[in-house]
Amino acid sequence: MLYRKIPKTGDSLSILGFGCMRLPTDEKGSIDKKRAIEQIRYAIDNGVNYLDTAWPYHSGNSELLVADALGQGYREKVRLATKLPSWMIKSRDDMDYYLNAQLEKLKTGHIDYYLIHNLAGPIWEKLKSFGVLEFIDRAKQSGRIVNAGFSFHGKIDDFKTIVDDYPWEMCQIQYNYLDEELQAGTEGLEYAASKNLGIVIMEPLRGGNLGIPEPPPDVDAIWKEAPHLRTPVEWALRWIWNRPEVTVVLSGMNEEAHIKENLAIADDGYPDSLTEEELKLVNRVTNRYRKLMKVGCTGCEYCKPCPSGVNISGCFEILNKFHLFKNEDEAKFMYAIRMAGAITGTEPAFASQCTQCGECLEKCPQGIAIPDFLEEVAAAFEDENFEQRIAMGKKMLKIE
């Protein structure tokens, strides 16, 4: 494992961090506690020392699971990060309420890196009016938090304003080779680094889309031109670690094989280690993906819950894979069986259930025109044979 330092604190953090938003789940959709704890501890035993969770992850259960995983002496081996749920704050008192509740849930006396969650310009201005800057100062003085930061999903000008409004120790941004100009992007990465902030990267695989083992043929052909062959996951992670400004890359690792793969890749994640030829190759892949992908959804699920019960990210995942792989029959069948709830035993969550209420538009950090794309999903997959595919899927799964 390689490590990089947070400039203002001197903390030496593993370049691979464990993101606890997508932990393994059981057949009921609850966290598979035994597997999740084993996975987190395995990562720590193999050098990972930065864990990231948040209040809403896994419907509020991620922090509780992390607390259990960090028992038996594991808490002392890591720097723990969680986040203030900014959208739930209605007053100055709320900030202390959530922080104190998180300390209790996490069974710890302090949070090493406490982030203000999911910031953009308007919500930041509202939090400032509630006294968030004083809250951070007092929380530090009381020892409840050690370092302060923020996670960001907004426009670059707002990002710079937030960076300049407080002497943060770190920030967390979305960054991958498809998103150099999205949200904070490369400009924000360099700006934060110029202010000596540690920088934690989320969505390095863009919701998993950049790590598909068998990428689209057009993309795969480009990768095979490389003088040194790598997996899609390795290309994506190495491209980010190539930037010396990056401190930690978060990965939501819910499969044992993924953890082992990412740990192995992290051993070679040196800055400035990719050649000019390799960087040009990645740029060609970027351009090809942009032509193939339909929706820029990362699967973060901030759009949930949908008042009409639509599985928004699931719909977009299938639409994107359809455009990437052109397998119409498979896409239609998977849409029918997944959105009918046949696999999970949940209520139907079809795109056609969308009433265009617009609530998701306010939540989406990617700024996606969700209702418009849901119309496209319904048109593509809910044809005259739709009900027949649902019945066939239930029969295959032996569901009455």
Side-chain angles (χ1 to χ4, degrees):
M1 178 62 65
L2 302 177
Y3 298 83
R4 299 184 187 182
K5 288 187 177 181
I6 297 281
K8 291 185 179 181
T9 70
D11 274 351
S12 185
L13 302 182
S14 55
I15 63 170
L16 177 66
F18 202 113
C20 300
M21 185 173 80
R22 298 182 177 109
L23 297 169
T25 56
D26 58 25
E27 63 278 0
K28 296 181 179 179
S30 301
I31 297 174
D32 186 330
K33 185 174 178 180
K34 182 176 184 295
R35 276 189 72 198
I37 290 175
E38 289 176 351
Q39 289 177 357
I40 291 171
R41 290 182 176 179
Y42 179 85
I44 296 171
D45 289 340
N46 285 273
V48 170
N49 70 354
Y50 187 87
L51 262 62
D52 172 272
T53 184
W55 181 271
Y57 293 172
H58 284 280
S59 301
N61 292 313
S62 175
E63 289 172 321
L64 296 170
L65 184 284
V66 169
D68 290 339
L70 293 182
Q72 300 180 14
Y74 277 88
R75 175 67 181 93
E76 289 72 30
K77 298 179 180 181
V78 301
R79 295 293 187 269
L80 177 60
T82 193
K83 309 175 187 78
L84 179 75
S86 58
W87 60 96
M88 299 175 74
I89 302 302
K90 307 300 181 186
S91 69
R92 169 68 178 78
D93 289 342
D94 285 348
M95 302 176 197
D96 284 307
Y97 167 79
Y98 284 107
L99 172 55
N100 291 336
Q102 288 170 300
L103 290 167
E104 185 175 344
K105 288 173 68 178
L106 288 162
K107 300 177 184 178
T108 186
H110 68 278
I111 308 298
D112 299 296
Y113 288 89
Y114 196 63
L115 285 67
I116 312 301
H117 200 174
N118 196 29
L119 288 187
I123 196 168
W124 175 239
E125 293 303 319
K126 183 179 75 170
L127 290 172
K128 284 198 295 183
S129 72
F130 290 157
V132 70
L133 300 180
E134 181 212 17
F135 160 72
I136 297 170
D137 285 339
R138 288 188 175 275
K140 282 186 170 184
Q141 291 167 6
S142 67
R144 290 176 295 167
I145 69 173
V146 181
N147 304 295
F150 66 94
S151 66
F152 183 79
H153 290 286
K155 299 177 181 179
I156 181 60
D157 290 342
D158 292 334
F159 178 77
K160 292 180 178 179
T161 296
I162 296 170
V163 167
D164 292 340
D165 273 348
Y166 188 80
W168 311 96
E169 281 79 22
M170 56 83 73
C171 64
Q172 182 171 311
I173 63 172
Q174 176 173 319
Y175 196 63
N176 55 68
Y177 61 71
L178 283 184
D179 293 335
E180 285 195 84
E181 297 179 6
L182 182 71
Q183 300 181 20
T186 299
E187 184 178 350
L189 176 78
E190 294 174 348
Y191 189 78
S194 74
K195 302 292 183 175
N196 289 322
L197 270 64
I199 302 169
V200 174
I201 302 300
M202 56 183 159
E203 299 292 356
L205 302 180
R206 218 173 199 250
N209 284 308
L210 301 183
I212 298 171
E214 297 182 8
D218 289 358
V219 172
D220 191 47
I222 298 173
W223 285 141
K224 286 179 178 177
E225 294 179 27
H228 180 77
L229 296 181
R230 298 185 174 97
T231 65
V233 171
E234 184 173 2
W235 278 112
L237 295 179
R238 287 288 301 276
W239 184 87
I240 300 172
W241 282 321
N242 196 62
R243 299 291 311 220
E245 301 94 340
V246 170
T247 312
V248 176
V249 173
L250 291 175
S251 181
M253 303 174 282
N254 55 16
E255 296 288 342
E256 288 76 9
H258 296 166
I259 298 172
K260 292 179 180 179
E261 180 184 17
N262 288 357
L263 287 167
I265 297 169
D267 287 341
D268 292 316
Y270 293 96
D272 299 317
S273 59
L274 297 183
T275 67
E276 190 64 30
E277 181 182 0
E278 289 173 326
L279 291 173
K280 288 180 179 179
L281 196 77
V282 176
N283 190 53
R284 288 174 56 200
V285 168
T286 299
N287 292 333
R288 174 49 54 185
Y289 263 126
R290 284 176 177 164
K291 291 178 180 178
L292 292 173
M293 294 182 72
K294 190 69 177 179
V295 190
C297 176
T298 69
C300 70
E301 299 195 337
Y302 286 129
C303 54
K304 286 187 175 182
C306 167
S308 301
V310 179
N311 183 347
I312 297 171
S313 62
C315 288
F316 291 165
E317 178 189 348
I318 294 171
L319 184 66
N320 272 337
K321 286 186 176 179
F322 167 61
H323 282 274
L324 286 171
F325 299 103
K326 307 301 182 184
N327 191 329
E328 183 175 1
D329 290 340
E330 179 182 302
K332 286 184 174 181
F333 182 74
M334 286 308 301
Y335 175 80
I337 194 170
R338 284 183 57 187
M339 297 308 115
I343 297 175
T344 58
T346 55
E347 294 297 316
F350 302 118
S352 57
Q353 294 170 209
C354 173
T355 62
Q356 300 208 3
C357 68
E359 186 173 316
C360 55
L361 295 174
E362 300 175 5
K363 300 176 182 177
C364 179
Q366 316 302 331
I368 297 169
I370 293 174
D372 293 343
F373 279 113
L374 287 175
E375 279 191 355
E376 186 168 339
V377 171
F381 303 136
E382 298 185 35
D383 57 15
E384 65 275 7
N385 297 318
F386 179 47
E387 294 294 338
Q388 183 180 347
R389 286 191 292 270
I390 294 175
M392 184 185 303
K394 288 184 177 180
K395 184 177 181 180
M396 288 177 60
L397 294 171
K398 299 181 180 180
I399 298 172
E400 297 297 330

